[in-house]
Amino acid sequence: GMDRYQAQDALALFLHRARHRGPCLRIIHGKGFGSNGQPVLKKLVRTWLSHHPEVLAFCQAPDSQGGGGALLVLLRAPKR
């Protein structure tokens, strides 16, 4: 139910908080069934993650964890 700007802010806050809990996380962005035409957040989240300095890698989640509607993300370890 967020627009792209709200979603980007929420993702940045989520990544900031999550990096203190461990290096791996799952982001559920949905499959875009509510979009007219192509999914919006699915593409944007991938773009945002590829430019985020704390993200080392990400990939589509397996079907058991959300499939095309989710990503698994590996974060840099927090600096000590």
Side-chain angles (χ1 to χ4, degrees):
M2 297 180 188
D3 67 25
R4 66 183 67 207
Y5 304 107
Q6 293 168 324
Q8 187 174 21
D9 289 344
L11 178 61
L13 181 60
F14 177 71
L15 291 172
H16 176 74
R17 290 180 176 167
R19 64 187 287 236
H20 298 288
R21 295 185 184 179
C24 300
L25 58 104
R26 179 176 54 166
I27 296 174
I28 302 170
H29 50 67
K31 296 182 180 180
F33 292 135
S35 304
N36 293 329
Q38 296 293 320
V40 176
L41 285 182
K42 182 174 184 174
K43 291 179 183 177
L44 287 174
V45 169
R46 290 170 185 263
T47 299
W48 296 333
L49 290 175
S50 67
H51 291 93
H52 196 282
E54 302 303 322
V55 174
L56 291 174
F58 62 90
C59 65
Q60 181 173 305
D63 288 340
S64 63
Q65 294 185 27
L71 297 170
L72 300 180
V73 181
L74 178 63
L75 299 177
R76 291 184 194 282
K79 294 178 182 172
R80 296 178 188 210

